[in-house]
Amino acid sequence: MIAEPAVILTCRDKIKTFEFLRAAGIDTPQTYTPQQIASAQDLHFPLFIKPRNGSASMSVRKLDDRDDLDYFLRKIDDPIVQEFVEGVEHTLDVYVGLTGRPRCVVPRARWQVRGGEVSKGVVVKDPKIMDAGRRVVEAMGDSVRGLVTLQCIVTQQGRIRFIEINPRFGGGAPLGVAAGADYPRWLLQELLGENPQIAFDGFEDGVCMLRYDWSAFIPLGASRKPRVSPSRQPFPDFDPRPSD
Amino acid sequence: MIAEPAVILTCRDKIKTFEFLRAAGIDTPQTYTPQQIASAQDLHFPLFIKPRNGSASMSVRKLDDRDDLDYFLRKIDDPIVQEFVEGVEHTLDVYVGLTGRPRCVVPRARWQVRGGEVSKGVVVKDPKIMDAGRRVVEAMGDSVRGLVTLQCIVTQQGRIRFIEINPRFGGGAPLGVAAGADYPRWLLQELLGENPQIAFDGFEDGVCMLRYDWSAFIPLGASRKPRVSPSRQPFPDFDPRPSD
């Protein structure tokens, strides 16, 4: 349930993503390679720097001035530099199923992010954002499958500027399911040869997801407990039944 | 259920913590103010830099060379620089209750940390570590109350080097409770004038805690949903009942 390798390569490489979006006429922040930054005439700070192939907000930094830029260009391996856009980050779940065409778009505002994954979010049923997401996925062609997860920043002026395309389920997708966009059921129905009834706006507005820590406690016993070692511990075998 | 202000001030200030531990003869990594770093004769990298009053791993950085040191001394407000110690981080929950004396010490190895809080940990019932924790809290005097949360690094050579004292419950304390160190019950018993039976090693070795994301879904409805704004959204009123 995944797109063709060429699509995945475009999405993993943030320069290729930028070029694809720009060529498709979709609003996206200006993005530079280190070579382009070196020869850029007038840079406006703040900027953003991130790994060209990164994910989950790994090594993403805001750059306030040239001191920051010079330091992180030295420290981050294979980086890109991006125009800094102020606004509210939104994730868009675009259901394409087996047809490869956008059939439902659920925007979710990211109120709080932890380790690159949304920890507080809310469904925002905004026709402009939904339509913008539809156009991005249509531009990708019909080789995409399942769910495509887009990220954009919505500015105070209402510009919808796309920064990420992930041709797969994202970590926050359960919020769309809770709002009534039942992707797993639709996929299973398609796989069974049925024709799921999917409305483009068939979900509830304003549903909010709050994530919190839950714990499982597992008695490994002293004999099975790994010894103290100076490196990161590998995770031992365990019985995954939660204690409560 | 908290210590005197003087104790809290010592624990919040990492230079004061260092001086207290050093004066008490407790093993702790060498710690420098920016002024001391400027005049230090021979610095051995890597080093650590962190805010003098920080918590939850905010702005903590490993420094590999003088380039890193110079950059982060400029960027981090009121920092301290610390000898980098390789080993396994342990948290020690020291129950002092209302008596102000250590009555039970539960060491927990931190296998994985997320946002400064333990997400995978295991109880390590090691008499040397338990005794070291007892000595730290005895050195603090008898004005401490409830639970004192210590952090140390255990090196491959078996050195137990203390880096943090938090005179309060820590986020991972439920692991000790799951292992049988029932701090909440003991506290309630003491508050009721009873005399809880507390064994210094009255807990189970090798109990493991795995934290994971759990979610609550709350239908706020479109009318109550905050509007898109460029700044971080305040969190709205909600009904905290989980949906599952």
Side-chain angles (χ1 to χ4, degrees):
Chain A
M1 196 57 59
I2 199 154
E4 287 177 358
V7 172
I8 294 167
L9 289 174
T10 296
C11 300
R12 281 183 56 86
D13 180 335
K14 292 188 205 307
I15 292 292
K16 285 204 171 79
T17 302
F18 168 71
E19 289 167 351
F20 161 76
L21 290 169
R22 194 46 73 91
I26 289 157
D27 195 349
T28 182
Q30 184 65 47
T31 301
Y32 310 89
T33 64
Q35 294 72 32
Q36 289 165 338
I37 277 287
S39 62
Q41 286 305 311
D42 52 334
L43 288 177
H44 297 281
F45 289 93
L47 293 165
F48 248 139
I49 192 166
K50 38 189 155 181
R52 185 164 175 165
N53 295 302
S55 66
S57 307
M58 296 281 283
S59 299
V60 173
R61 301 269 176 245
K62 188 179 173 190
L63 308 172
D64 288 320
D65 51 36
R66 187 163 285 276
D67 184 24
D68 293 356
L69 175 63
D70 291 343
Y71 176 77
F72 283 108
L73 281 176
R74 289 195 300 273
K75 294 304 280 189
I76 298 180
D77 210 39
D78 198 12
I80 59 127
V81 177
Q82 200 164 59
E83 178 188 355
F84 178 81
V85 178
E86 206 158 10
V88 178
E89 254 196 85
H90 285 65
T91 300
L92 284 70
D93 297 326
V94 183
Y95 182 80
V96 299
L98 303 186
T99 65
R101 289 177 294 101
R103 301 180 67 181
C104 180
V105 180
V106 183
R108 307 182 264 111
R110 304 178 102 194
W111 281 348
Q112 189 183 79
V113 173
R114 182 168 77 160
E117 292 254 321
V118 62
S119 50
K120 289 182 189 166
V122 68
V123 171
V124 175
K125 195 168 170 178
D126 181 311
K128 284 206 192 72
I129 300 174
M130 291 158 67
D131 194 56
R134 184 212 315 246
R135 284 186 289 110
V136 172
V137 173
E138 281 174 350
M140 294 171 75
D142 59 5
S143 84
V144 288
R145 290 290 175 274
L147 204 67
V148 181
T149 307
L150 308 174
Q151 273 174 258
C152 66
I153 297 169
V154 181
T155 72
Q156 197 165 19
Q157 293 76 31
R159 282 179 75 173
I160 301 162
R161 313 195 69 185
F162 285 88
I163 52 173
E164 286 261 352
I165 306 173
N166 289 295
R168 55 166 175 75
F169 272 71
L175 174 51
V177 178
D182 200 346
Y183 322 121
R185 170 184 293 269
W186 297 341
L187 273 179
L188 290 170
Q189 286 180 310
E190 288 198 67
L191 287 165
L192 290 170
E194 296 174 16
N195 183 22
Q197 299 304 304
I198 301 171
F200 188 70
D201 62 353
F203 56 91
E204 194 185 341
D205 195 13
V207 177
C208 173
M209 177 174 75
L210 308 175
R211 280 198 171 143
Y212 52 96
D213 276 336
W214 204 239
S215 306
F217 297 101
I218 297 134
L220 300 178
S223 60
R224 287 182 58 213
K225 190 182 65 186
R227 297 291 85 198
V228 166
S229 102
S231 58
R232 192 166 288 193
Q233 298 274 0
F235 189 69
D237 296 336
F238 71 98
D239 175 351
R241 285 171 299 190
S243 66
D244 48 358
Chain B
M1 195 58 57
I2 199 153
E4 285 178 358
V7 171
I8 294 168
L9 288 174
T10 297
C11 299
R12 280 183 56 85
D13 180 335
K14 291 188 207 308
I15 292 290
K16 284 204 171 80
T17 303
F18 168 71
E19 289 167 351
F20 161 76
L21 290 169
R22 194 46 74 90
I26 289 158
D27 194 350
T28 182
Q30 184 65 47
T31 301
Y32 310 88
T33 64
Q35 294 71 35
Q36 289 165 340
I37 276 286
S39 61
Q41 286 305 313
D42 52 335
L43 288 177
H44 298 282
F45 289 93
L47 293 165
F48 249 138
I49 191 166
K50 39 188 155 181
R52 184 164 176 166
N53 295 303
S55 66
S57 306
M58 298 279 284
S59 299
V60 173
R61 302 270 175 241
K62 188 180 173 190
L63 307 173
D64 288 319
D65 51 36
R66 188 163 284 276
D67 184 25
D68 293 357
L69 174 63
D70 292 342
Y71 177 76
F72 283 109
L73 280 176
R74 288 195 300 273
K75 294 304 280 190
I76 297 179
D77 212 39
D78 198 11
I80 59 126
V81 176
Q82 201 165 59
E83 178 188 356
F84 178 81
V85 178
E86 208 159 9
V88 177
E89 255 195 84
H90 286 64
T91 300
L92 284 68
D93 298 326
V94 183
Y95 182 81
V96 298
L98 303 186
T99 65
R101 290 177 292 102
R103 301 181 66 181
C104 179
V105 180
V106 182
R108 308 183 265 110
R110 304 178 101 193
W111 280 348
Q112 188 184 77
V113 173
R114 182 168 76 159
E117 292 254 322
V118 63
S119 51
K120 290 183 189 166
V122 68
V123 171
V124 176
K125 195 167 169 179
D126 180 312
K128 283 206 193 73
I129 301 175
M130 292 159 66
D131 193 57
R134 183 207 323 240
R135 282 186 291 112
V136 172
V137 174
E138 280 174 353
M140 295 170 74
D142 59 5
S143 85
V144 290
R145 289 291 176 273
L147 204 68
V148 181
T149 307
L150 308 174
Q151 272 175 258
C152 67
I153 297 169
V154 180
T155 71
Q156 197 164 20
Q157 292 76 32
R159 283 179 74 172
I160 301 163
R161 314 195 68 185
F162 284 88
I163 52 173
E164 287 261 351
I165 306 173
N166 289 295
R168 55 166 175 75
F169 271 73
L175 173 51
V177 178
D182 200 345
Y183 321 122
R185 170 185 294 267
W186 297 341
L187 272 179
L188 290 170
Q189 286 179 311
E190 288 197 66
L191 287 165
L192 291 169
E194 297 173 17
N195 183 21
Q197 299 305 304
I198 301 171
F200 189 70
D201 62 352
F203 57 89
E204 195 184 340
D205 195 14
V207 177
C208 173
M209 176 174 74
L210 308 174
R211 281 196 169 145
Y212 53 95
D213 277 336
W214 204 239
S215 305
F217 297 101
I218 297 133
L220 300 178
S223 60
R224 287 183 58 214
K225 190 182 64 186
R227 297 292 84 197
V228 166
S229 102
S231 58
R232 192 167 288 191
Q233 298 275 0
F235 190 69
D237 296 335
F238 71 97
D239 176 352
R241 286 171 298 189
S243 66
D244 49 357

